Amino acid sequence: MASIPAATARRPEYIPGRIGDTSYVRMFDTTLRDGEQARGAAMTIDQKVAVARNLALLGVDVIDGGFPSASKNDLEALKIISKEIGNPSADGSAIGRHVPVISALSRAKKTDIDTAWEAVRAARRPRTTVFLSTSEIHMQHKLRKSRDEVVALASEMVAYARSIGFDDVCFAAEDATRSDKDFLCRVFTAAMKAGATVVSLADTVGCSLPSEIHNLVSYIRDHTPGVENIILSVHCHNDLGLAAANTLAGIEGGAREVDVTINGIGERAGNASFEEVVMAIKCRKELLGGVYTGINTKYIYQTSKMVENYTGLHLQPHKAIVGANAFCHESGLHQDGVLKYRGTYEFISREDIGMTDTNENGICLGKLSGRRGLRAQLLKLGYDVSGTELDEAFMKFKDLTAKKKHITDDDLERLVCSKTSQSQPMWSLGCLQVTHGTIGFSTAAIKLISSEGKEKIACSVGKGPIDAVYQAIDSIVKAPTKLECSNSALDGTHAISSTQVITSEGHNHISAYSSSEKANGLASIDISNGHTVSFINGNGEDSDFVVSSAQAYLKALNRTLTLKHGQS
């Protein structure tokens, strides 16, 4: 399948209040502010800075770093982000090839705006978002202010922000979608006259439908004199599951800045999902008037995983774009199509979002899977079965799926191997001890037991506990393999850690594979010089992620050695 072109280099120069290309949509990422408001999502300062670095690599136009008046953690994080990420690096370059705007949230209070300036003033392009409610229900019950008072306060606070140094000020109408449209026009007019460079419509309670957002944005554009000279933004919540759709509708209506969060996290049901909005624009821009962003989508997947790990907010498997099942095919009909040509059932290229697992073909085995899918997974484990042998394995597989939902690699091996060969791995884990921390090197001591019952012990030093363990195993096993990747997942604080490793065996590096070969998930590939490279998978599970990693690596090595022994 042809990959969708990466983000172009035609990102317009950032100018407060103006975009040089009317087809360009600025991405305002609020993962570190609104996203962190999700229950249990609080991050440390170091974690927030790390996420901000990845947002810069993604090419986010504006990073909403937090609400400094409400949190000392946000204030300190914003100062670091502003200085280190909001400026070119020491050699004159910039993270992600551009320097993002760094924004801080403020209530319509001078003390908030002062604190916001303290937080982001070190950035090359500092911004603040001053928010104020504009709906009748909020003005009456929350603010206890009249319409005239709200208009006056909006004007005063935007002017104050400009007076203390902010050249870039967003005025956000909280609960805008439940506000009177003509009153919104009036408030925005006052804010623009006071110096606002952006005005934002917030669907704060997530109650709107896409048609309503489109109509509201269009109405503001048509009935607010001067709005064409600044940026119109939308901020959508996901209470009806429509935040991404509403954001796209806002773009169709004329908004050229949109608020999003990684994985769609945020208050209550969350915000518009960064990855969904970005990929919708990238894949269907012809239906959105040719709009585009400056996002480098190849960093989406790793940033999604970073945010998931740091916040502890685990994604549902069917989450669009980045969920565990997003590129997983269980139906035999789908598996057959994907193995022949991925484009038959994959509209989005997984490589475009940074999913680059070397042996990933998207096949997930279940009761609806077919022979072709089973054979592909067995190939990944190093077993090339066909004909009668495959028929027998498939019958056993179907019987197994009637009893078990999740089919493991060990289950598959039992379909094609005798109990004798299964019970005699060449090497098994005896015991393991690691030492690691912020002081000194990570060390590992490991005892392995051979199939003859002999014990061997090795110690090693590594860059981390896993690296140290793998080096210790290598010093004993001495298998002619190369570790290609290792992935570990932990579901919950007291759950089992599951680790998958992929190794290769052969004379050439994995980059020698063609994209079509990797897409079809071939387990072994003949390279032009006559050598063969093989992928071997290994999986391990344990309450300790280091132990699960050791088990997974040992399984991959045992499979490699078993195959070589059978071929000799």
Side-chain angles (χ1 to χ4, degrees):
M1 179 173 61
S3 176
I4 301 167
T8 66
R10 55 183 178 134
R11 178 199 303 269
E13 178 187 358
Y14 189 90
I15 302 172
R18 185 165 67 86
I19 299 177
D21 186 346
T22 57
S23 294
Y24 186 80
V25 177
R26 285 179 181 165
M27 303 305 296
F28 179 102
D29 187 277
T30 184
T31 302
L32 299 177
R33 201 274 302 169
D34 208 337
E36 201 190 24
Q37 289 177 204
R39 180 183 179 187
M43 291 177 269
T44 66
I45 291 175
D46 288 344
Q47 288 173 338
K48 295 189 75 166
V49 172
V51 171
R53 289 188 185 281
N54 260 49
L55 294 177
L57 288 170
L58 275 165
V60 166
D61 298 279
V62 185
I63 296 176
D64 185 8
F67 188 1
S69 290
S71 167
K72 290 183 179 179
N73 179 292
D74 278 11
L75 176 59
E76 293 307 312
L78 269 165
K79 286 181 177 180
I80 297 171
I81 291 168
S82 296
K83 183 178 180 180
E84 298 183 6
I85 301 168
N87 285 285
S89 57
D91 61 2
S93 63
I95 297 173
R97 298 181 183 173
H98 87 115
V99 178
V101 173
I102 309 298
S103 182
L105 186 70
S106 305
R107 290 168 294 189
K109 295 183 175 182
K110 289 184 177 181
T111 52
D112 274 22
I113 297 170
D114 287 337
T115 305
W117 180 243
E118 178 188 354
V120 300
R121 65 184 301 172
R124 180 178 178 182
R125 300 185 181 100
R127 183 201 276 196
T128 187
T129 295
V130 178
F131 73 96
L132 186 62
S133 296
T134 55
S135 68
E136 291 296 332
I137 189 171
H138 274 221
M139 288 189 292
Q140 179 181 347
H141 297 287
K142 176 185 173 182
L143 299 180
R144 293 185 170 85
K145 293 183 182 295
S146 67
R147 288 190 174 192
D148 288 344
E149 288 175 314
V150 167
V151 171
L153 186 58
S155 177
E156 180 186 359
M157 292 300 103
V158 170
Y160 181 73
R162 292 300 299 260
S163 72
I164 66 170
F166 282 109
D167 294 326
D168 198 2
V169 179
C170 172
F171 174 76
E174 186 180 14
D175 207 22
T177 54
R178 293 195 295 177
S179 302
D180 177 77
K181 291 180 180 178
D182 292 325
F183 179 61
L184 274 177
C185 294
R186 181 184 169 196
V187 170
F188 284 162
T189 299
M192 288 188 295
K193 288 181 178 179
T197 53
V198 181
V199 291
S200 177
L201 297 160
D203 186 24
T204 303
V205 297
C207 64
S208 299
L209 300 181
S211 58
E212 292 179 294
I213 295 292
H214 183 282
N215 292 339
L216 179 58
V217 173
S218 298
Y219 190 90
I220 296 300
R221 288 186 67 203
D222 294 340
H223 295 84
T224 309
V227 75
E228 67 277 6
N229 298 320
I230 67 165
I231 310 301
L232 189 54
S233 173
V234 291
H235 177 102
C236 300
H237 279 263
N238 202 41
D239 296 73
L240 291 176
L242 294 171
N246 285 342
T247 299
L248 295 172
I251 292 171
E252 289 183 297
R256 286 299 177 265
E257 183 172 288
V258 294
D259 294 10
V260 290
T261 62
I262 301 296
N263 298 337
I265 65 172
E267 191 82 50
R268 303 185 311 279
N271 291 57
S273 165
F274 176 99
E275 55 277 3
E276 292 172 21
V277 173
V278 167
M279 293 308 292
I281 293 173
K282 185 170 188 176
C283 297
R284 305 309 306 274
K285 64 180 180 180
E286 74 281 359
L287 297 179
L288 294 168
V291 297
Y292 68 100
T293 73
I295 299 301
N296 185 344
T297 61
K298 292 186 183 298
Y299 290 98
I300 284 178
Y301 188 70
Q302 73 173 57
T303 308
S304 168
K305 291 305 175 188
M306 175 184 283
V307 171
E308 183 180 20
N309 290 335
Y310 285 173
T311 62
L313 299 179
H314 298 296
L315 300 178
Q316 71 256 34
H318 54 280
K319 168 71 172 69
I321 313 298
V322 292
N325 292 352
F327 294 95
C328 184
H329 308 276
E330 184 173 313
S331 161
L333 177 66
H334 287 220
Q335 289 174 351
D336 181 65
V338 166
L339 288 169
K340 290 174 179 174
Y341 180 66
R342 269 170 46 185
T344 53
Y345 288 100
E346 288 190 8
F347 166 63
I348 298 171
S349 166
R350 69 187 70 183
E351 287 82 9
D352 263 358
I353 66 166
M355 290 181 66
T356 56
D357 285 354
T358 55
N359 195 27
E360 182 58 60
N361 58 23
I363 302 302
C364 305
L365 294 181
K367 69 175 185 177
L368 300 178
S369 300
R371 282 176 175 80
R372 189 176 177 88
L374 175 61
R375 184 170 188 271
Q377 292 303 93
L378 288 173
L379 276 172
K380 286 174 62 177
L381 298 177
Y383 300 101
D384 188 357
V385 296
S386 58
T388 303
E389 189 179 6
L390 177 60
D391 291 340
E392 292 175 356
F394 185 67
M395 290 177 63
K396 294 177 184 177
F397 167 72
K398 281 295 187 180
D399 290 339
L400 182 61
T401 59
K403 306 170 186 175
K404 189 176 183 182
K405 278 189 176 183
H406 301 290
I407 308 302
T408 67
D409 287 348
D410 288 341
D411 292 330
L412 295 180
E413 285 190 308
R414 292 187 186 100
L415 300 178
V416 295
C417 296
S418 68
K419 288 185 178 180
T420 301
S421 64
Q422 279 296 301
S423 61
Q424 294 295 324
M426 292 192 175
W427 292 99
S428 58
L429 180 63
C431 54
L432 168 67
Q433 180 173 315
V434 296
T435 303
H436 65 102
T438 59
I439 301 175
F441 296 101
S442 294
T443 61
I446 193 166
K447 178 196 290 182
L448 299 184
I449 304 171
S450 72
S451 55
E452 294 85 16
K454 296 180 179 179
E455 296 181 353
K456 287 198 173 184
I457 297 174
C459 300
S460 186
V461 175
K463 296 177 182 177
I466 305 298
D467 181 51
V469 168
Y470 287 0
Q471 289 194 47
I473 292 174
D474 286 341
S475 68
I476 296 174
V477 177
K478 296 182 171 60
T481 61
K482 173 182 176 181
L483 180 66
E484 295 293 349
C485 65
S486 176
N487 296 299
S488 186
L490 180 65
D491 294 324
T493 305
H494 304 292
I496 297 297
S497 174
S498 176
T499 303
Q500 179 190 41
V501 301
I502 297 173
T503 62
S504 68
E505 187 274 318
H507 297 273
N508 288 74
H509 188 267
I510 206 165
S511 61
Y513 301 149
S514 70
S515 59
S516 62
E517 288 166 333
K518 286 193 288 183
N520 287 322
L522 299 178
S524 61
I525 299 158
D526 289 327
I527 308 301
S528 58
N529 61 8
H531 294 301
T532 297
V533 178
S534 297
F535 286 132
I536 301 295
N537 273 16
N539 289 280
E541 288 188 348
D542 194 87
S543 57
D544 188 309
F545 80 98
V546 178
V547 176
S548 75
S549 299
Q551 291 173 340
Y553 192 40
L554 271 177
K555 282 188 179 181
L557 296 180
N558 276 320
R559 285 168 179 154
T560 300
L561 294 171
T562 300
L563 286 171
K564 289 187 71 65
H565 180 74
Q567 293 167 0
S568 60

